[in-house]
């Protein structure tokens, strides 16, 4: 039996990498995919598992967010901290509209290499267009938080605010 601490949720910008982050993990077809493929886009990297109820509740929100903001240069990537077989089975039923990468220990190491204390699921990283990790969220993400994220990313893209303002907003959610 596996035990993982599940959080109610909070954003943090402390101890995140100020330099570009990158990783490579296999997708559902076994093809190696790297975060650097998505440079030039805002990337939401969501760590989840098939056995995690809060993770499963986030997925429809993240799919809707991808549909609503993909044309604005946002890319959601799911990283399943799980075994391949249950992830593939769940992915068929969930009809993901964003890439799903899979890794058990390797997926946890991705977060840890980014300077984040990975301590439970769900967990989400926010990566700027240039690959800089600008914030993280521990716990389940809710629609209101994603709406605020979309607002501040749009403001940053239009030059209305700077990255420090984005970090402060993420930290206050």
């Amino acid at each position: 039996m596996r035990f993982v601490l599940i959080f109610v949720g909070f954003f943090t910008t402390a101890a995140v990498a100020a330099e570009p982050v990158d990783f490579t993990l296999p997708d559902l077809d076994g093809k190696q995919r790297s975060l650097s493929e998505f440079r030039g886009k805002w990337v939401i990297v969501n760590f989840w598992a098939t056995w995690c109820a809060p993770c499963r509740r986030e997925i429809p929100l993240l799919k809707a967010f991808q549909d609503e903001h993909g044309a604005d240069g946002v890319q959601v990537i799911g990283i399943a901290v799980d075994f391949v077989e249950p992830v593939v089975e769940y992915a068929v039923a969930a009809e993901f509209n964003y890439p799903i990468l899979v890794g058990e220990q390797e997926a946890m190491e991705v977060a840890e290499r980014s300077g984040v204390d990975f301590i439970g699921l769900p967990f989400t990283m926010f990566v700027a267009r240039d690959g800089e990790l600008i914030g993280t969220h521990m716990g389940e993400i809710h629609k209101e938080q994603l709406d605020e994220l979309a607002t501040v990313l749009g403001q940053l893209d239009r030059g209305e605010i700077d990255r420090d303002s984005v970090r402060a907003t993420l930290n206050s959610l």
Side-chain angles (χ1 to χ4, degrees):
M1 180 174 271
R2 205 179 332 192
F3 292 96
V4 173
L5 183 59
I6 306 294
F7 288 95
V8 171
F10 63 91
F11 280 87
T12 181
T13 58
V16 295
E19 57 191 49
V21 294
D22 200 10
F23 58 81
T24 302
L25 289 169
D27 65 14
L28 296 176
D29 296 321
K31 178 183 176 195
Q32 295 294 314
R33 304 286 302 267
S34 295
L35 180 62
S36 60
E37 290 176 44
F38 303 98
R39 286 274 158 80
K41 296 183 178 193
W42 287 102
V43 182
I44 299 171
V45 183
N46 178 254
F47 293 79
W48 65 283
T50 58
W51 43 264
C52 169
C55 301
R56 291 169 72 130
R57 286 192 301 263
E58 287 180 327
I59 290 169
L61 295 174
L62 292 168
K63 287 171 50 180
F65 195 80
Q66 180 64 51
D67 281 341
E68 293 169 24
H69 300 286
D72 300 329
V74 174
Q75 180 63 61
V76 176
I77 299 173
I79 297 184
V81 184
D82 211 329
F83 296 104
V84 174
E85 295 80 16
V87 174
V88 170
E89 183 178 311
Y90 182 76
V92 170
E95 298 180 339
F96 286 98
N97 61 348
Y98 55 85
I100 299 299
L101 310 181
V102 183
E104 197 171 357
Q105 182 63 33
E106 300 87 355
M108 291 184 286
E109 289 170 2
V110 165
E112 291 167 357
R113 281 195 314 266
S114 301
V116 176
D117 292 328
F118 180 79
I119 53 177
L121 292 173
F123 168 71
T124 305
M125 299 187 329
F126 304 96
V127 181
R129 292 180 185 277
D130 63 2
E132 179 185 348
L133 178 60
I134 61 167
T136 60
H137 180 80
M138 304 284 184
E140 186 174 351
I141 292 179
H142 300 281
K143 183 175 182 344
E144 299 78 23
Q145 294 164 320
L146 288 172
D147 290 344
E148 184 66 22
L149 176 66
T151 298
V152 297
L153 294 182
Q155 290 172 329
L156 182 62
D157 280 346
R158 292 186 300 274
E160 298 169 2
I161 60 173
D162 60 15
R163 283 190 188 193
D164 289 336
S165 297
V166 173
R167 288 183 186 99
T169 300
L170 290 176
N171 205 30
S172 70
L173 294 177

